[in-house]
Amino acid sequence: GDYGRFVLGAIPWANTSGKTSGWESTWTSQSFSQVYESYYQQSPNFYSAAAWAACEVFVHAVETVESVEASKVTEALQSLPFLTIFGNISFDSLGMGREWSNVFQINGDGSERRLIYPQSPSTETEEIVFPLPRWSDRQCLLSQPIGGSSDSVWGFSTM
């Protein structure tokens, strides 16, 4: 909202990221969101996408090794990259994920979260706003200075 202008943050998943499943090329973060919303009447959150991606990865590993034997599935998980609606997923020898999170920034009027990183050819990512606009150049939320004696609606002098 209004108080989050220019804030940067990390999110593990964004339904607008354009991530495509390796399981089915027409299955994307957007199509997952549409199906989820039609079924549950609400937008999917990080946990919903993570659960789906975990199932995608597990099924892919089991199908690749044609076994449910733990050691074989573990070996597949450690050696294969997996494309999911959550993003590219791969694991190191300790089972830790190797992938980065998404980075967003709230736009200048506070109305939307813009995806900054990673850049993807299938979605429109935007440039980070940095350096931030000076306080005197920003659209303020209040219509008059606090206490009436300063130049800034936040109570600071712009001199």
Side-chain angles (χ1 to χ4, degrees):
D2 283 336
Y3 299 114
R5 296 175 183 184
F6 305 108
V7 166
L8 282 169
I11 52 174
W13 182 71
N15 62 355
T16 59
S17 67
K19 306 290 184 182
T20 302
S21 171
W23 170 64
E24 171 58 50
S25 63
T26 61
W27 195 241
T28 66
S29 54
Q30 290 97 332
S31 60
F32 170 79
S33 295
Q34 290 169 349
V35 170
Y36 188 97
E37 287 175 25
S38 70
Y39 191 79
Y40 294 106
Q41 286 76 48
Q42 63 183 6
S43 297
N45 59 26
F46 152 76
Y47 300 105
S48 306
W52 179 268
C55 291
E56 266 189 293
V57 167
F58 180 73
V59 168
H60 184 85
V62 168
E63 288 178 347
T64 298
V65 297
E66 297 178 347
S67 173
V68 292
E69 187 180 323
S71 63
K72 290 181 179 181
V73 173
T74 300
E75 186 177 322
L77 289 172
Q78 292 174 340
S79 63
L80 297 171
F82 301 92
L83 301 176
T84 73
I85 61 156
F86 202 76
N88 299 331
I89 297 177
S90 62
F91 303 97
D92 64 17
S93 62
L94 299 175
M96 299 297 294
R98 295 180 177 148
E99 307 307 324
W100 294 90
S101 215
N102 297 293
V103 177
F104 72 92
Q105 185 174 41
I106 305 296
N107 69 351
D109 67 10
S111 66
E112 68 177 322
R113 182 176 64 191
R114 303 174 307 117
L115 188 62
I116 302 298
Y117 177 85
Q119 295 190 351
S120 166
S122 61
T123 59
E124 192 172 315
T125 52
E126 299 189 32
E127 294 294 320
I128 188 170
V129 176
F130 188 83
L132 299 180
R134 294 171 32 145
W135 284 106
S136 60
D137 294 335
R138 296 184 193 187
Q139 178 186 7
C140 293
L141 300 175
L142 304 175
S143 60
Q144 56 188 333
I146 296 172
S149 62
S150 71
D151 298 333
S152 161
V153 296
W154 301 107
F156 303 107
S157 172
T158 57
M159 298 300 219

